[in-house]
Amino acid sequence: MGFKSNMIEGIFRFLALTMSVAALTAAPAFVSAQEFGEQIPNLKLPTITNFAPPQGEAPLAQGSGGEITLAAQLTEGGAEITRGLVWRVFKPEPGPEGKLPLVASSQGGTGVFHLDPGSYLVHAAFGRAGATKRITVGREAKRESFVLDAGGLELDAVLAGGVRIPPDKLRFSIYAAEAEADGDRALILPDVSPNTVIRLNSGIYHVVSTYGTVNAVIRSDIRVEAGKLTEATVEHRAAELTLKLVREPGGEAIADTSWSVLTNSGDPVRESVGAFASMVLAEGDYTIVAKNRDRIYQREFTVVGGRNQEVEVVATEAAAARATEDVE
């Protein structure tokens, strides 16, 4: 059996709170409206990144001008967001350094600002979701509402049969769905832990799930709907292996061993040194090569998804060959 690309391809599954798991390719995502109570990460502004720090000694949002109340909803007509928002108010004209001067900011829910009459740009950030709007402040108090058109995304992964994957060995990266001119996708958020709610503007995102650090990788596109939490679960077809070189089956591991793992076609996958070599590999056929002193020992092995195990390479004369300069 050849090592095929679909050995690292998985099936995204979407979970509903009251429904069983279904494959992503066979059914749309199940979603449910929830309040996103997670704290927002320290991230760059999605749409305004070029601004100057505030000037002057007066506290932010405490000017002597008109009162402006800013509120935000996930969807048109939805409830106001009560926490997790970051408001930033800018002057609309760039300063001497070409940056938008930051006039005021606040965190929490609905924000109340006292600003001098004039025009401003306001950015509302809710995690990775955000919206920018131009407002005009006068002497009279007024209120402005922002519709973020945002939802949440929560990611997780399992092995075949629903076996849980240790969270410390699982990470997700979220990319823009559309590729750029060079074929790459813009990275939106790297190194996302499982079961973390990420706030995003509605739309389609390209998600990469990585189990371990070798070749167990799954990619798929996920749609985030405004006002809803999309829960997506990946099924990885991979297993965790611990390799050891022994003089007899069940024996002690031999120290100072160099390990190489190759695909069925001879392409290198992983190299390490030590009595034990632990790694996560995608389902498929591999050649395991153990080098100790001037001897090389080799074993063919098939990785079955979800079957974690210890793999022994027995150091027998029949399995050994003298190391040569062209064998690493």
Side-chain angles (χ1 to χ4, degrees):
M1 178 172 58
F3 182 73
K4 302 179 180 179
S5 61
N6 62 4
M7 293 173 184
I8 61 172
E9 296 297 327
I11 302 173
F12 261 84
R13 298 182 174 184
F14 288 93
L15 303 179
L17 296 180
T18 58
M19 300 186 68
S20 60
V21 179
L24 173 64
T25 55
F30 296 108
V31 292
S32 60
Q34 295 190 11
E35 179 182 0
F36 308 130
E38 304 291 331
Q39 293 187 357
I40 64 172
N42 185 18
L43 300 169
K44 294 182 180 179
L45 289 173
T47 55
I48 296 181
T49 58
N50 196 23
F51 63 90
Q55 302 295 324
E57 299 180 356
L60 293 180
Q62 297 296 321
S64 58
E67 181 178 284
I68 181 75
T69 300
L70 304 175
Q73 301 87 34
L74 292 176
T75 58
E76 187 73 44
E80 289 185 4
I81 300 171
T82 59
R83 56 180 176 173
L85 284 167
V86 176
W87 296 101
R88 293 186 176 94
V89 182
F90 301 88
K91 290 184 178 180
E93 296 82 17
E97 298 181 356
K99 299 180 179 180
L100 297 178
L102 178 63
V103 175
S105 66
S106 72
Q107 299 184 32
T110 299
V112 179
F113 299 86
H114 292 83
L115 304 170
D116 293 333
S119 179
Y120 299 89
L121 285 177
V122 178
H123 183 268
F126 189 57
R128 290 301 303 181
T132 303
K133 185 177 182 180
R134 183 183 291 271
I135 66 170
T136 300
V137 176
R139 295 294 181 185
E140 301 296 327
K142 64 182 298 187
R143 183 183 183 88
E144 294 280 354
S145 294
F146 288 62
V147 177
L148 300 184
D149 188 29
L153 177 61
E154 184 175 358
L155 302 166
D156 199 5
V158 296
L159 296 172
V163 178
R164 304 286 298 181
I165 294 176
D168 60 339
K169 295 182 179 179
L170 181 65
R171 284 295 181 271
F172 299 90
S173 295
I174 302 174
Y175 294 83
E178 297 297 328
E180 298 177 347
D182 58 3
D184 293 333
R185 290 181 170 89
L187 177 62
I188 296 173
L189 192 61
D191 199 31
V192 177
S193 300
N195 300 308
T196 300
V197 176
I198 306 300
R199 299 162 179 141
L200 297 164
N201 287 106
S202 63
I204 298 176
Y205 296 87
H206 186 76
V207 176
V208 177
S209 173
T210 303
Y211 173 28
T213 60
V214 185
N215 64 350
V217 178
I218 297 174
R219 301 172 180 270
S220 191
D221 292 337
I222 302 176
R223 179 181 295 277
V224 174
E225 297 188 36
K228 299 179 180 179
L229 174 62
T230 299
E231 296 176 286
T233 295
V234 178
E235 184 181 279
H236 274 280
R237 302 194 65 83
E240 185 173 358
L241 306 181
T242 299
L243 312 180
K244 67 176 185 176
L245 179 66
V246 296
R247 302 191 187 282
E248 59 183 8
E252 293 294 325
I254 301 175
D256 300 323
T257 299
S258 297
W259 296 95
S260 296
V261 179
L262 312 175
T263 67
N264 204 28
S265 59
D267 297 324
V269 175
R270 176 69 182 272
E271 295 182 347
S272 65
V273 177
F276 298 92
S278 296
M279 64 194 72
V280 175
L281 294 176
E283 191 174 70
D285 294 333
Y286 298 89
T287 299
I288 301 171
V289 179
K291 180 180 177 182
N292 186 266
R293 297 184 179 179
D294 62 345
R295 293 284 183 169
I296 293 177
Y297 306 91
Q298 182 172 305
R299 176 181 175 179
E300 307 296 323
F301 188 79
T302 298
V303 176
V304 178
R307 187 181 298 174
N308 299 338
Q309 56 186 301
E310 187 175 85
V311 181
E312 293 181 342
V313 178
V314 181
T316 63
E317 287 298 321
R322 287 283 178 181
T324 58
E325 293 182 358
D326 60 341
V327 178
E328 297 183 353

mmCIF file of all heavy atoms in Angstrom, residues 243-291:
data_model
loop_
_atom_site.group_PDB
_atom_site.id
_atom_site.type_symbol
_atom_site.label_atom_id
_atom_site.label_comp_id
_atom_site.label_asym_id
_atom_site.label_seq_id
_atom_site.Cartn_x
_atom_site.Cartn_y
_atom_site.Cartn_z
ATOM 1 N N LEU A 243 9.315 4.447 19.434
ATOM 2 C CA LEU A 243 10.244 3.517 18.806
ATOM 3 C C LEU A 243 11.395 3.210 19.758
ATOM 4 O O LEU A 243 11.892 4.095 20.451
ATOM 5 C CB LEU A 243 10.801 4.118 17.513
ATOM 6 C CG LEU A 243 9.792 4.729 16.535
ATOM 7 C CD1 LEU A 243 10.526 5.274 15.318
ATOM 8 C CD2 LEU A 243 8.732 3.725 16.128
ATOM 9 N N LYS A 244 11.824 1.932 19.758
ATOM 10 C CA LYS A 244 13.011 1.582 20.536
ATOM 11 C C LYS A 244 13.744 0.425 19.862
ATOM 12 O O LYS A 244 13.125 -0.457 19.261
ATOM 13 C CB LYS A 244 12.647 1.238 21.976
ATOM 14 C CG LYS A 244 11.822 -0.020 22.182
ATOM 15 C CD LYS A 244 11.623 -0.264 23.676
ATOM 16 C CE LYS A 244 10.903 -1.578 23.938
ATOM 17 N NZ LYS A 244 10.777 -1.868 25.387
ATOM 18 N N LEU A 245 15.066 0.470 19.961
ATOM 19 C CA LEU A 245 15.927 -0.581 19.428
ATOM 20 C C LEU A 245 16.268 -1.526 20.578
ATOM 21 O O LEU A 245 16.746 -1.088 21.628
ATOM 22 C CB LEU A 245 17.197 0.027 18.833
ATOM 23 C CG LEU A 245 18.230 -0.954 18.251
ATOM 24 C CD1 LEU A 245 17.661 -1.657 17.020
ATOM 25 C CD2 LEU A 245 19.520 -0.210 17.895
ATOM 26 N N VAL A 246 16.010 -2.826 20.380
ATOM 27 C CA VAL A 246 16.224 -3.818 21.438
ATOM 28 C C VAL A 246 17.053 -4.981 20.894
ATOM 29 O O VAL A 246 17.071 -5.247 19.688
ATOM 30 C CB VAL A 246 14.877 -4.332 21.990
ATOM 31 C CG1 VAL A 246 14.093 -3.202 22.655
ATOM 32 C CG2 VAL A 246 14.030 -4.967 20.885
ATOM 33 N N ARG A 247 17.728 -5.699 21.799
ATOM 34 C CA ARG A 247 18.505 -6.865 21.381
ATOM 35 C C ARG A 247 17.634 -8.107 21.256
ATOM 36 O O ARG A 247 17.979 -9.061 20.546
ATOM 37 C CB ARG A 247 19.645 -7.113 22.372
ATOM 38 C CG ARG A 247 20.579 -5.920 22.501
ATOM 39 C CD ARG A 247 21.836 -6.260 23.257
ATOM 40 N NE ARG A 247 22.631 -5.056 23.515
ATOM 41 C CZ ARG A 247 23.396 -4.458 22.624
ATOM 42 N NH1 ARG A 247 23.471 -4.949 21.376
ATOM 43 N NH2 ARG A 247 24.079 -3.367 22.923
ATOM 44 N N GLU A 248 16.493 -8.099 21.931
ATOM 45 C CA GLU A 248 15.525 -9.193 21.843
ATOM 46 C C GLU A 248 14.144 -8.622 22.123
ATOM 47 O O GLU A 248 14.018 -7.578 22.779
ATOM 48 C CB GLU A 248 15.870 -10.282 22.861
ATOM 49 C CG GLU A 248 15.886 -9.798 24.288
ATOM 50 C CD GLU A 248 16.312 -10.883 25.256
ATOM 51 O OE1 GLU A 248 16.743 -11.957 24.790
ATOM 52 O OE2 GLU A 248 16.213 -10.661 26.477
ATOM 53 N N PRO A 249 13.085 -9.252 21.612
ATOM 54 C CA PRO A 249 11.737 -8.730 21.842
ATOM 55 C C PRO A 249 11.451 -8.532 23.329
ATOM 56 O O PRO A 249 11.738 -9.408 24.152
ATOM 57 C CB PRO A 249 10.839 -9.825 21.238
ATOM 58 C CG PRO A 249 11.691 -10.461 20.193
ATOM 59 C CD PRO A 249 13.086 -10.448 20.758
ATOM 60 N N GLY A 250 10.938 -7.362 23.670
ATOM 61 C CA GLY A 250 10.642 -7.036 25.058
ATOM 62 C C GLY A 250 11.835 -6.599 25.863
ATOM 63 O O GLY A 250 11.713 -6.345 27.065
ATOM 64 N N GLY A 251 13.006 -6.454 25.216
ATOM 65 C CA GLY A 251 14.216 -6.088 25.930
ATOM 66 C C GLY A 251 14.324 -4.600 26.203
ATOM 67 O O GLY A 251 13.454 -3.801 25.828
ATOM 68 N N GLU A 252 15.412 -4.238 26.859
ATOM 69 C CA GLU A 252 15.659 -2.834 27.181
ATOM 70 C C GLU A 252 16.075 -2.063 25.924
ATOM 71 O O GLU A 252 16.745 -2.597 25.035
ATOM 72 C CB GLU A 252 16.770 -2.724 28.224
ATOM 73 C CG GLU A 252 16.400 -3.272 29.590
ATOM 74 C CD GLU A 252 15.305 -2.455 30.258
ATOM 75 O OE1 GLU A 252 15.295 -1.217 30.063
ATOM 76 O OE2 GLU A 252 14.464 -3.050 30.955
ATOM 77 N N ALA A 253 15.692 -0.788 25.869
ATOM 78 C CA ALA A 253 16.046 0.056 24.733
ATOM 79 C C ALA A 253 17.539 0.343 24.744
ATOM 80 O O ALA A 253 18.136 0.586 25.800
ATOM 81 C CB ALA A 253 15.258 1.358 24.779
ATOM 82 N N ILE A 254 18.144 0.328 23.574
ATOM 83 C CA ILE A 254 19.575 0.598 23.426
ATOM 84 C C ILE A 254 19.783 2.097 23.266
ATOM 85 O O ILE A 254 19.164 2.742 22.412
ATOM 86 C CB ILE A 254 20.145 -0.156 22.211
ATOM 87 C CG1 ILE A 254 19.925 -1.667 22.379
ATOM 88 C CG2 ILE A 254 21.617 0.154 22.029
ATOM 89 C CD1 ILE A 254 20.339 -2.481 21.167
ATOM 90 N N ALA A 255 20.665 2.629 24.094
ATOM 91 C CA ALA A 255 20.900 4.076 24.071
ATOM 92 C C ALA A 255 21.705 4.484 22.841
ATOM 93 O O ALA A 255 22.239 3.644 22.114
ATOM 94 C CB ALA A 255 21.625 4.492 25.345
ATOM 95 N N ASP A 256 21.791 5.808 22.636
ATOM 96 C CA ASP A 256 22.598 6.394 21.557
ATOM 97 C C ASP A 256 22.221 5.842 20.192
ATOM 98 O O ASP A 256 23.084 5.484 19.376
ATOM 99 C CB ASP A 256 24.091 6.169 21.814
ATOM 100 C CG ASP A 256 24.550 6.801 23.113
ATOM 101 O OD1 ASP A 256 24.057 7.895 23.446
ATOM 102 O OD2 ASP A 256 25.389 6.192 23.807
ATOM 103 N N THR A 257 20.929 5.779 19.942
ATOM 104 C CA THR A 257 20.424 5.283 18.666
ATOM 105 C C THR A 257 19.916 6.451 17.827
ATOM 106 O O THR A 257 19.214 7.328 18.335
ATOM 107 C CB THR A 257 19.281 4.270 18.878
ATOM 108 O OG1 THR A 257 19.778 3.158 19.628
ATOM 109 C CG2 THR A 257 18.743 3.765 17.550
ATOM 110 N N SER A 258 20.302 6.452 16.566
ATOM 111 C CA SER A 258 19.797 7.469 15.633
ATOM 112 C C SER A 258 18.629 6.874 14.859
ATOM 113 O O SER A 258 18.724 5.762 14.323
ATOM 114 C CB SER A 258 20.902 7.892 14.657
ATOM 115 O OG SER A 258 21.975 8.491 15.349
ATOM 116 N N TRP A 259 17.528 7.639 14.785
ATOM 117 C CA TRP A 259 16.307 7.152 14.161
ATOM 118 C C TRP A 259 15.983 7.950 12.905
ATOM 119 O O TRP A 259 16.127 9.175 12.886
ATOM 120 C CB TRP A 259 15.128 7.268 15.122
ATOM 121 C CG TRP A 259 15.257 6.409 16.340
ATOM 122 C CD1 TRP A 259 15.749 6.770 17.557
ATOM 123 C CD2 TRP A 259 14.889 5.029 16.446
ATOM 124 N NE1 TRP A 259 15.713 5.718 18.422
ATOM 125 C CE2 TRP A 259 15.190 4.625 17.777
ATOM 126 C CE3 TRP A 259 14.337 4.108 15.562
ATOM 127 C CZ2 TRP A 259 14.955 3.336 18.227
ATOM 128 C CZ3 TRP A 259 14.094 2.824 16.018
ATOM 129 C CH2 TRP A 259 14.406 2.436 17.323
ATOM 130 N N SER A 260 15.527 7.239 11.884
ATOM 131 C CA SER A 260 14.982 7.867 10.672
ATOM 132 C C SER A 260 13.698 7.150 10.306
ATOM 133 O O SER A 260 13.647 5.913 10.323
ATOM 134 C CB SER A 260 15.972 7.776 9.506
ATOM 135 O OG SER A 260 17.160 8.500 9.784
ATOM 136 N N VAL A 261 12.677 7.925 9.997
ATOM 137 C CA VAL A 261 11.401 7.367 9.545
ATOM 138 C C VAL A 261 11.177 7.836 8.123
ATOM 139 O O VAL A 261 11.218 9.045 7.847
ATOM 140 C CB VAL A 261 10.238 7.794 10.456
ATOM 141 C CG1 VAL A 261 8.924 7.224 9.946
ATOM 142 C CG2 VAL A 261 10.497 7.340 11.891
ATOM 143 N N LEU A 262 10.944 6.901 7.226
ATOM 144 C CA LEU A 262 10.789 7.190 5.800
ATOM 145 C C LEU A 262 9.414 6.749 5.329
ATOM 146 O O LEU A 262 8.832 5.802 5.868
ATOM 147 C CB LEU A 262 11.866 6.464 4.983
ATOM 148 C CG LEU A 262 13.314 6.574 5.465
ATOM 149 C CD1 LEU A 262 14.213 5.701 4.601
ATOM 150 C CD2 LEU A 262 13.777 8.024 5.421
ATOM 151 N N THR A 263 8.911 7.423 4.311
ATOM 152 C CA THR A 263 7.681 6.964 3.674
ATOM 153 C C THR A 263 7.972 5.717 2.857
ATOM 154 O O THR A 263 9.128 5.314 2.685
ATOM 155 C CB THR A 263 7.098 8.045 2.757
ATOM 156 O OG1 THR A 263 7.997 8.240 1.651
ATOM 157 C CG2 THR A 263 6.909 9.363 3.491
ATOM 158 N N ASN A 264 6.925 5.118 2.336
ATOM 159 C CA ASN A 264 7.077 3.911 1.534
ATOM 160 C C ASN A 264 7.905 4.165 0.280
ATOM 161 O O ASN A 264 8.509 3.246 -0.274
ATOM 162 C CB ASN A 264 5.699 3.367 1.165
ATOM 163 C CG ASN A 264 5.724 1.885 0.859
ATOM 164 O OD1 ASN A 264 6.565 1.158 1.384
ATOM 165 N ND2 ASN A 264 4.813 1.431 0.018
ATOM 166 N N SER A 265 7.937 5.440 -0.162
ATOM 167 C CA SER A 265 8.713 5.785 -1.352
ATOM 168 C C SER A 265 10.109 6.287 -1.013
ATOM 169 O O SER A 265 10.853 6.697 -1.892
ATOM 170 C CB SER A 265 7.968 6.854 -2.167
ATOM 171 O OG SER A 265 7.760 8.013 -1.387
ATOM 172 N N GLY A 266 10.478 6.278 0.263
ATOM 173 C CA GLY A 266 11.816 6.669 0.678
ATOM 174 C C GLY A 266 11.994 8.103 1.086
ATOM 175 O O GLY A 266 13.118 8.526 1.389
ATOM 176 N N ASP A 267 10.920 8.886 1.128
ATOM 177 C CA ASP A 267 11.033 10.282 1.552
ATOM 178 C C ASP A 267 11.162 10.361 3.072
ATOM 179 O O ASP A 267 10.400 9.712 3.804
ATOM 180 C CB ASP A 267 9.813 11.080 1.100
ATOM 181 C CG ASP A 267 9.686 11.146 -0.404
ATOM 182 O OD1 ASP A 267 10.737 11.233 -1.064
ATOM 183 O OD2 ASP A 267 8.546 11.088 -0.917
ATOM 184 N N PRO A 268 12.097 11.169 3.595
ATOM 185 C CA PRO A 268 12.253 11.281 5.048
ATOM 186 C C PRO A 268 11.071 11.999 5.685
ATOM 187 O O PRO A 268 10.549 12.974 5.150
ATOM 188 C CB PRO A 268 13.545 12.092 5.204
ATOM 189 C CG PRO A 268 13.675 12.857 3.928
ATOM 190 C CD PRO A 268 13.089 11.977 2.861
ATOM 191 N N VAL A 269 10.651 11.506 6.832
ATOM 192 C CA VAL A 269 9.535 12.081 7.568
ATOM 193 C C VAL A 269 9.989 12.672 8.891
ATOM 194 O O VAL A 269 9.603 13.769 9.262
ATOM 195 C CB VAL A 269 8.436 11.018 7.812
ATOM 196 C CG1 VAL A 269 7.321 11.579 8.697
ATOM 197 C CG2 VAL A 269 7.856 10.521 6.498
ATOM 198 N N ARG A 270 10.836 11.930 9.605
ATOM 199 C CA ARG A 270 11.272 12.398 10.928
ATOM 200 C C ARG A 270 12.613 11.772 11.277
ATOM 201 O O ARG A 270 12.847 10.606 10.975
ATOM 202 C CB ARG A 270 10.219 12.023 11.981
ATOM 203 C CG ARG A 270 10.588 12.356 13.419
ATOM 204 C CD ARG A 270 10.598 13.851 13.654
ATOM 205 N NE ARG A 270 10.993 14.179 15.010
ATOM 206 C CZ ARG A 270 10.154 14.276 16.044
ATOM 207 N NH1 ARG A 270 8.863 14.044 15.853
ATOM 208 N NH2 ARG A 270 10.584 14.605 17.233
ATOM 209 N N GLU A 271 13.486 12.532 11.937
ATOM 210 C CA GLU A 271 14.755 12.026 12.437
ATOM 211 C C GLU A 271 14.909 12.453 13.886
ATOM 212 O O GLU A 271 14.484 13.545 14.276
ATOM 213 C CB GLU A 271 15.922 12.556 11.601
ATOM 214 C CG GLU A 271 15.923 12.065 10.155
ATOM 215 C CD GLU A 271 17.127 12.576 9.373
ATOM 216 O OE1 GLU A 271 17.803 13.497 9.886
ATOM 217 O OE2 GLU A 271 17.388 12.070 8.273
ATOM 218 N N SER A 272 15.532 11.590 14.684
ATOM 219 C CA SER A 272 15.785 11.918 16.084
ATOM 220 C C SER A 272 16.893 11.024 16.605
ATOM 221 O O SER A 272 17.306 10.064 15.946
ATOM 222 C CB SER A 272 14.517 11.755 16.928
ATOM 223 O OG SER A 272 14.114 10.397 16.968
ATOM 224 N N VAL A 273 17.381 11.343 17.814
ATOM 225 C CA VAL A 273 18.444 10.566 18.448
ATOM 226 C C VAL A 273 18.043 10.294 19.884
ATOM 227 O O VAL A 273 17.564 11.191 20.595
ATOM 228 C CB VAL A 273 19.793 11.321 18.401
ATOM 229 C CG1 VAL A 273 20.867 10.527 19.130
ATOM 230 C CG2 VAL A 273 20.211 11.599 16.966
ATOM 231 N N GLY A 274 18.244 9.048 20.319
ATOM 232 C CA GLY A 274 17.940 8.688 21.696
ATOM 233 C C GLY A 274 17.500 7.243 21.794
ATOM 234 O O GLY A 274 17.231 6.576 20.787
ATOM 235 N N ALA A 275 17.428 6.744 23.029
ATOM 236 C CA ALA A 275 16.986 5.365 23.225
ATOM 237 C C ALA A 275 15.549 5.180 22.770
ATOM 238 O O ALA A 275 15.171 4.117 22.260
ATOM 239 C CB ALA A 275 17.136 4.980 24.694
ATOM 240 N N PHE A 276 14.731 6.213 22.942
ATOM 241 C CA PHE A 276 13.331 6.174 22.518
ATOM 242 C C PHE A 276 13.079 7.324 21.549
ATOM 243 O O PHE A 276 13.658 8.401 21.669
ATOM 244 C CB PHE A 276 12.389 6.308 23.716
ATOM 245 C CG PHE A 276 12.510 5.199 24.715
ATOM 246 C CD1 PHE A 276 13.382 5.315 25.796
ATOM 247 C CD2 PHE A 276 11.765 4.042 24.584
ATOM 248 C CE1 PHE A 276 13.496 4.295 26.725
ATOM 249 C CE2 PHE A 276 11.868 3.017 25.515
ATOM 250 C CZ PHE A 276 12.739 3.136 26.577
ATOM 251 N N ALA A 277 12.196 7.091 20.608
ATOM 252 C CA ALA A 277 11.754 8.140 19.684
ATOM 253 C C ALA A 277 10.237 8.127 19.659
ATOM 254 O O ALA A 277 9.633 7.143 19.236
ATOM 255 C CB ALA A 277 12.318 7.915 18.294
ATOM 256 N N SER A 278 9.620 9.194 20.165
ATOM 257 C CA SER A 278 8.155 9.288 20.193
ATOM 258 C C SER A 278 7.688 10.316 19.174
ATOM 259 O O SER A 278 8.281 11.395 19.060
ATOM 260 C CB SER A 278 7.667 9.677 21.594
ATOM 261 O OG SER A 278 7.988 8.668 22.526
ATOM 262 N N MET A 279 6.622 9.988 18.464
ATOM 263 C CA MET A 279 6.109 10.873 17.429
ATOM 264 C C MET A 279 4.694 10.481 17.055
ATOM 265 O O MET A 279 4.263 9.351 17.298
ATOM 266 C CB MET A 279 7.004 10.831 16.190
ATOM 267 C CG MET A 279 7.043 9.486 15.501
ATOM 268 S SD MET A 279 8.393 9.345 14.310
ATOM 269 C CE MET A 279 9.796 9.232 15.424
ATOM 270 N N VAL A 280 3.986 11.435 16.469
ATOM 271 C CA VAL A 280 2.659 11.178 15.909
ATOM 272 C C VAL A 280 2.807 11.106 14.395
ATOM 273 O O VAL A 280 3.361 12.024 13.773
ATOM 274 C CB VAL A 280 1.661 12.285 16.291
ATOM 275 C CG1 VAL A 280 0.322 12.056 15.600
ATOM 276 C CG2 VAL A 280 1.482 12.333 17.807
ATOM 277 N N LEU A 281 2.309 10.024 13.794
ATOM 278 C CA LEU A 281 2.397 9.843 12.355
ATOM 279 C C LEU A 281 1.008 9.632 11.770
ATOM 280 O O LEU A 281 0.152 8.975 12.380
ATOM 281 C CB LEU A 281 3.271 8.635 12.008
ATOM 282 C CG LEU A 281 4.757 8.728 12.369
ATOM 283 C CD1 LEU A 281 5.452 7.411 12.050
ATOM 284 C CD2 LEU A 281 5.425 9.879 11.640
ATOM 285 N N ALA A 282 0.803 10.176 10.585
ATOM 286 C CA ALA A 282 -0.447 9.938 9.863
ATOM 287 C C ALA A 282 -0.517 8.481 9.437
ATOM 288 O O ALA A 282 0.494 7.797 9.260
ATOM 289 C CB ALA A 282 -0.527 10.851 8.642
ATOM 290 N N GLU A 283 -1.727 7.996 9.271
ATOM 291 C CA GLU A 283 -1.947 6.611 8.862
ATOM 292 C C GLU A 283 -1.231 6.313 7.547
ATOM 293 O O GLU A 283 -1.253 7.106 6.623
ATOM 294 C CB GLU A 283 -3.459 6.375 8.717
ATOM 295 C CG GLU A 283 -3.866 4.934 8.549
ATOM 296 C CD GLU A 283 -5.374 4.802 8.556
ATOM 297 O OE1 GLU A 283 -6.009 5.256 7.578
ATOM 298 O OE2 GLU A 283 -5.931 4.260 9.528
ATOM 299 N N GLY A 284 -0.555 5.150 7.485
ATOM 300 C CA GLY A 284 0.136 4.788 6.259
ATOM 301 C C GLY A 284 1.296 3.841 6.510
ATOM 302 O O GLY A 284 1.525 3.381 7.632
ATOM 303 N N ASP A 285 2.050 3.548 5.451
ATOM 304 C CA ASP A 285 3.188 2.628 5.515
ATOM 305 C C ASP A 285 4.496 3.402 5.639
ATOM 306 O O ASP A 285 4.716 4.380 4.911
ATOM 307 C CB ASP A 285 3.235 1.757 4.258
ATOM 308 C CG ASP A 285 2.039 0.824 4.160
ATOM 309 O OD1 ASP A 285 1.485 0.468 5.221
ATOM 310 O OD2 ASP A 285 1.656 0.467 3.031
ATOM 311 N N TYR A 286 5.398 2.924 6.499
ATOM 312 C CA TYR A 286 6.667 3.592 6.750
ATOM 313 C C TYR A 286 7.799 2.572 6.847
ATOM 314 O O TYR A 286 7.564 1.382 7.109
ATOM 315 C CB TYR A 286 6.623 4.384 8.060
ATOM 316 C CG TYR A 286 5.598 5.488 8.074
ATOM 317 C CD1 TYR A 286 4.286 5.249 8.492
ATOM 318 C CD2 TYR A 286 5.929 6.773 7.672
ATOM 319 C CE1 TYR A 286 3.343 6.258 8.506
ATOM 320 C CE2 TYR A 286 4.998 7.794 7.683
ATOM 321 C CZ TYR A 286 3.706 7.523 8.106
ATOM 322 O OH TYR A 286 2.781 8.530 8.115
ATOM 323 N N THR A 287 9.005 3.049 6.662
ATOM 324 C CA THR A 287 10.213 2.289 6.939
ATOM 325 C C THR A 287 10.913 2.938 8.119
ATOM 326 O O THR A 287 11.205 4.138 8.093
ATOM 327 C CB THR A 287 11.153 2.256 5.720
ATOM 328 O OG1 THR A 287 10.487 1.627 4.628
ATOM 329 C CG2 THR A 287 12.421 1.480 6.049
ATOM 330 N N ILE A 288 11.180 2.138 9.155
ATOM 331 C CA ILE A 288 11.867 2.635 10.346
ATOM 332 C C ILE A 288 13.315 2.172 10.282
ATOM 333 O O ILE A 288 13.592 0.977 10.136
ATOM 334 C CB ILE A 288 11.186 2.110 11.618
ATOM 335 C CG1 ILE A 288 9.723 2.560 11.659
ATOM 336 C CG2 ILE A 288 11.928 2.589 12.866
ATOM 337 C CD1 ILE A 288 8.923 1.916 12.775
ATOM 338 N N VAL A 289 14.245 3.115 10.391
ATOM 339 C CA VAL A 289 15.665 2.813 10.325
ATOM 340 C C VAL A 289 16.311 3.248 11.630
ATOM 341 O O VAL A 289 16.192 4.415 12.030
ATOM 342 C CB VAL A 289 16.345 3.522 9.133
ATOM 343 C CG1 VAL A 289 17.834 3.192 9.104
ATOM 344 C CG2 VAL A 289 15.683 3.122 7.823
ATOM 345 N N ALA A 290 16.980 2.298 12.304
ATOM 346 C CA ALA A 290 17.682 2.578 13.551
ATOM 347 C C ALA A 290 19.174 2.351 13.334
ATOM 348 O O ALA A 290 19.593 1.285 12.877
ATOM 349 C CB ALA A 290 17.164 1.679 14.659
ATOM 350 N N LYS A 291 19.987 3.357 13.662
ATOM 351 C CA LYS A 291 21.435 3.243 13.504
ATOM 352 C C LYS A 291 22.095 3.309 14.869
ATOM 353 O O LYS A 291 21.879 4.254 15.633
ATOM 354 C CB LYS A 291 21.958 4.364 12.613
ATOM 355 C CG LYS A 291 23.473 4.307 12.402
ATOM 356 C CD LYS A 291 23.927 5.457 11.514
ATOM 357 C CE LYS A 291 25.443 5.450 11.354
ATOM 358 N NZ LYS A 291 25.918 6.586 10.523
#
